[in-house]
Amino acid sequence: MADGGNIPVEELIEEGKNKRAVFCVRCPSKILCVGVGQYKEIEYSLPNIVSKKVLQEGETDEEVLKEYWQIDNMYNFENIGYTNTVDGKKFLICADCELGPLGWQDLETKSSYLAVRRVKYEGTE
């Protein structure tokens, strides 16, 4: 498995959905099964990857990302955690090792957005 930053996004998408299983970059936790996430291009500023505690305190540098897997039902994840609400947002973290943020949740629609470049994929070297 390799992290999503090294793979052209076209190789990760099939019929608008993730064509490979998605895993945490730190631990072996499976986050999404094949075909669960809908590819979306949305410009959103996420804090740099830090510990859960730092995320909840809300003082981090940020990175603008534009490629996400949209998941409309939180129960479609295999393993994902959510931070407490911070400045009107919830961030996605690995449920096992708490690495994050891996994405964010829109509190109005309840849709979650998993950053394509902050995870790794099955079947890639």
Side-chain angles (χ1 to χ4, degrees):
M1 286 180 258
D3 86 63
N6 297 326
I7 306 167
V9 72
E10 300 80 30
E11 293 181 23
L12 301 173
I13 302 169
E14 185 171 83
E15 297 180 10
K17 296 189 178 267
N18 62 303
K19 76 175 188 179
R20 298 177 184 186
V22 178
F23 294 83
C24 177
V25 295
R26 179 188 288 164
C27 76
S29 185
K30 186 182 214 178
I31 296 173
L32 274 183
C33 289
V34 173
V36 175
Q38 181 73 38
Y39 179 74
K40 296 288 182 182
E41 289 188 1
I42 301 169
E43 191 169 300
Y44 193 84
S45 183
L46 277 179
N48 288 326
I49 291 180
V50 293
S51 73
K52 180 181 174 184
K53 181 179 179 189
V54 173
L55 267 180
Q56 291 179 166
E57 291 169 0
E59 295 189 21
T60 62
D61 292 329
E62 296 195 350
E63 173 184 22
V64 176
L65 299 171
K66 297 179 183 178
E67 299 168 322
Y68 293 91
W69 300 116
Q70 179 180 336
I71 298 88
D72 291 328
N73 185 332
M74 67 187 280
Y75 297 107
N76 289 340
F77 284 106
E78 295 300 303
N79 290 297
I80 202 74
Y82 291 83
T83 64
N84 292 332
T85 303
V86 178
D87 296 329
K89 305 175 225 176
K90 286 191 180 202
F91 295 110
L92 308 181
I93 59 173
C94 175
D96 290 330
C97 72
E98 297 187 341
L99 178 73
L102 302 178
W104 56 282
Q105 182 184 42
D106 182 324
L107 296 178
E108 290 181 25
T109 67
K110 300 298 183 198
S111 290
S112 296
Y113 297 88
L114 181 66
V116 169
R117 303 296 177 201
R118 292 200 175 178
V119 292
K120 61 185 177 183
Y121 298 89
E122 183 175 50
T124 57
E125 299 296 325

